[in-house]
Amino acid sequence: MTTTGTENGTDTGAGRLRGHLGSVAVVFMVVAAAAPLTVIGGNMPLAMALGNGAGAPVGFVLAALVLLVFSVGFVTMTPHVPEAGAFFSYVTVGLGRRLGTGIAVVALIAYTAIQVGIYGYIGWAIDDTVRFYGGPEVPWPVYAFAVLAIVALLGYRHIDLSAKVLGIALALEIGIVLLLDVVIVGKPGPAGLTLDSFRPEVFTSGTLGIAVLFALTGFIGFEATAVFRDEARDPERTIPRATYAAVLIIGGFYALTCWAFVVATGPDEVSATAQRTLDGEGNMLLDTTGAMLGALGRDVVNVLLLTSLFACVLSFHNVIARYQFVLSGRGLLPTRLGVVHDRHRSPAFSSVVQTVTAAVIVALLAVFGVDPLVGVFGSMAGVATVGMVLLMFTTSVAVLVFFVRHRAESRGRLWQTRIAPAVACVGLLTSLWLVLSNFTLVTGGSVALSAALAAVPFVGLLVGVALGSRLRVPATR
């Protein structure tokens, strides 16, 4: 093992992670975390049934626009942030160590929550698939722990191995859905090749805000491009390219596929079809795939849904391990978490700790008999969504403050350093209001339970701020 080296807050280089990830590899890691097929199978029916029906594709477009504007300030500030801590590092540089520490705690909460939620989802999904093909019924935690063991093995090793695994899974996942989209366009439903989804009177009907809400949950993890900067081949070019590409690919993929499903079902029937999915009387993704690609296509998508969930949980494991690694280097977490494995050049001990943390939480949920979908996945996704929006809003404020204080760095870049971050703040505040005001729809729980879960990221922020005096301030470039 090699320990991190920091003197007076400046990394000496001895313990920095190294790698040769290019823009494509980083995009694979990030898009895999967004779990496109999982979002199409889960978030899309929710947006259609509870939101604005046939206008749901516009929700994904609007969410992508908000995140794209956020990314402008995010990547503009990247050269001035000396370490790969993503939101934590940006907020520390822009707003100080106390808020930076608070945001680090929020990030750990958000990423841990969504990862645990995915373990619940994949445990249920594997059991459902096994029983569909005539196998025995097995408790979801058994499958969840089996997946956790594989993730632990891959996360312990060098990041290049994880990137290759995620790349293969993601290519197959996106490929089959794009094939499905093409077949739907070639053989549309009863209303033909309609563009009704993009008509104002359609996408403003129902509740557009709920559609945006569920669209936002589908982007969790896109900002993790900056977490891999130390392992990027050329971070000054790789990270901005990967960030913009991730938002455009994720947003475009979601919007296109959501529209294709409207075409396949018909604008007048899509809400009812999506509602049947929520009621457990059908499966919009698999049923539509079966109708368009046959039984074989349905089976392939079913398997790829499982690989999508696996790719998602592996990606979040890597992100959390690196957050802990950076926090250790700043003195907030134990020094042992900030070591680099001599052979694998990975944050190996941090990866092990992250595995143990996830295992303990999953075990507790299993002991208390929490439902894997509504109780585990729904609730944890809700906590993660609140955390993500809070993280991005604070980061946008940090970008504004940083460039106000460093006017020379912002000269001639009014859009990147002032306008875009300000617009992002407005958009993210609106998004946070949408999430909180409709939080029971995300968690599927009572008002009291939903309020308690929604408060978790804010409590984490306050705890982190209180602990912020222990954090060393990173040097700006």
Side-chain angles (χ1 to χ4, degrees), residues 5 21 69-70 72 137 146 148 165-166 181 186 194 205 216 224 226 245 306 319 338 356 360 372 381 438 440 470:
L21 298 176
V69 173
F70 162 80
V72 173
E137 181 175 356
L148 195 150
V165 172
L166 293 175
D181 292 343
T194 176
S205 64
L216 282 171
L306 300 181
V319 170
V356 173
V360 169
N438 296 283
T440 54
R470 298 178 54 191

Side-chain angles (χ1 to χ4, degrees), residues 307-331:
T307 64
S308 172
L309 290 165
F310 175 78
C312 177
V313 78
L314 174 59
S315 185
F316 279 120
H317 175 96
N318 287 326
V319 170
I320 297 168
R322 280 150 184 79
Y323 252 104
Q324 293 175 162
F325 177 88
V326 173
L327 292 176
S328 171
R330 289 304 178 197

Side-chain angles (χ1 to χ4, degrees), residues 116-183:
V116 170
I118 295 297
Y119 277 125
Y121 194 160
I122 197 170
W124 171 86
I126 294 175
D127 177 57
D128 184 65
T129 300
V130 170
R131 288 189 290 108
F132 178 81
Y133 292 108
E137 181 175 356
V138 176
W140 69 267
V142 174
Y143 292 118
F145 278 111
V147 172
L148 195 150
I150 299 172
V151 169
L153 177 63
L154 292 173
Y156 187 85
R157 299 174 66 84
H158 194 278
I159 191 68
D160 287 342
L161 177 60
S162 292
K164 291 174 182 176
V165 172
L166 293 175
I168 294 171
L170 184 63
L172 293 173
E173 178 183 342
I174 291 182
I176 190 67
V177 177
L178 289 178
L179 173 62
L180 177 61
D181 292 343
V182 170
V183 172

Side-chain angles (χ1 to χ4, degrees), residues 21-58:
L21 298 176
S23 298
V24 174
V26 175
V27 169
F28 272 144
M29 297 289 291
V30 173
V31 177
L37 193 56
T38 304
V39 173
I40 295 302
N43 293 39
M44 182 184 71
L46 287 166
M48 289 175 170
L50 304 177
N52 58 345
V58 176

Side-chain angles (χ1 to χ4, degrees), residues 413-432:
R413 297 189 295 174
L414 182 63
W415 163 249
Q416 296 96 320
T417 61
R418 299 288 198 281
I419 299 176
V423 172
C425 285
V426 174
L428 290 165
L429 271 180
T430 303
S431 300
L432 184 60

Side-chain angles (χ1 to χ4, degrees), residues 148-384:
L148 195 150
I150 299 172
V151 169
L153 177 63
L154 292 173
Y156 187 85
R157 299 174 66 84
H158 194 278
I159 191 68
D160 287 342
L161 177 60
S162 292
K164 291 174 182 176
V165 172
L166 293 175
I168 294 171
L170 184 63
L172 293 173
E173 178 183 342
I174 291 182
I176 190 67
V177 177
L178 289 178
L179 173 62
L180 177 61
D181 292 343
V182 170
V183 172
I184 290 174
V185 171
K187 190 174 67 174
L193 200 61
T194 176
L195 294 175
D196 283 357
S197 294
F198 304 101
R199 290 167 50 199
E201 60 269 29
V202 173
F203 66 72
T204 56
S205 64
T207 308
L208 176 59
I210 293 179
V212 174
L213 182 158
F214 285 111
L216 282 171
T217 65
F219 283 86
I220 293 177
F222 90 95
E223 77 292 339
T225 51
V227 175
F228 299 104
R229 64 174 295 168
D230 284 349
E231 294 155 286
R233 184 181 301 121
D234 181 5
E236 304 302 330
R237 300 174 63 185
T238 298
I239 300 307
R241 288 178 179 177
T243 302
Y244 289 129
V247 175
L248 291 172
I249 290 172
I250 295 170
F253 180 82
Y254 289 161
L256 172 65
T257 303
C258 190
W259 167 74
F261 274 75
V262 173
V263 170
T265 307
D268 296 332
E269 299 294 328
V270 70
S271 293
T273 302
Q275 186 60 53
R276 285 194 291 273
T277 299
L278 303 191
D279 294 338
E281 299 173 357
N283 187 309
M284 193 173 193
L285 171 62
L286 296 180
D287 293 346
T288 302
T289 302
M292 294 293 168
L293 300 180
L296 178 60
R298 187 187 192 283
D299 292 342
V300 170
V301 169
N302 198 358
V303 172
L304 290 178
L305 174 61
L306 300 181
T307 64
S308 172
L309 290 165
F310 175 78
C312 177
V313 78
L314 174 59
S315 185
F316 279 120
H317 175 96
N318 287 326
V319 170
I320 297 168
R322 280 150 184 79
Y323 252 104
Q324 293 175 162
F325 177 88
V326 173
L327 292 176
S328 171
R330 289 304 178 197
L332 183 62
L333 293 179
T335 304
R336 185 72 188 280
L337 289 168
V339 300
V340 179
H341 196 281
D342 284 335
R343 181 158 58 92
H344 298 308
R345 306 307 300 167
S346 66
F349 187 75
S350 179
S351 176
V352 170
V353 170
Q354 206 290 304
T355 297
V356 173
T357 301
V360 169
I361 298 174
V362 171
L364 287 174
L365 293 169
V367 168
F368 285 103
V370 180
D371 179 81
L373 286 182
V374 178
V376 179
F377 178 70
S379 298
M380 294 298 100
V383 172

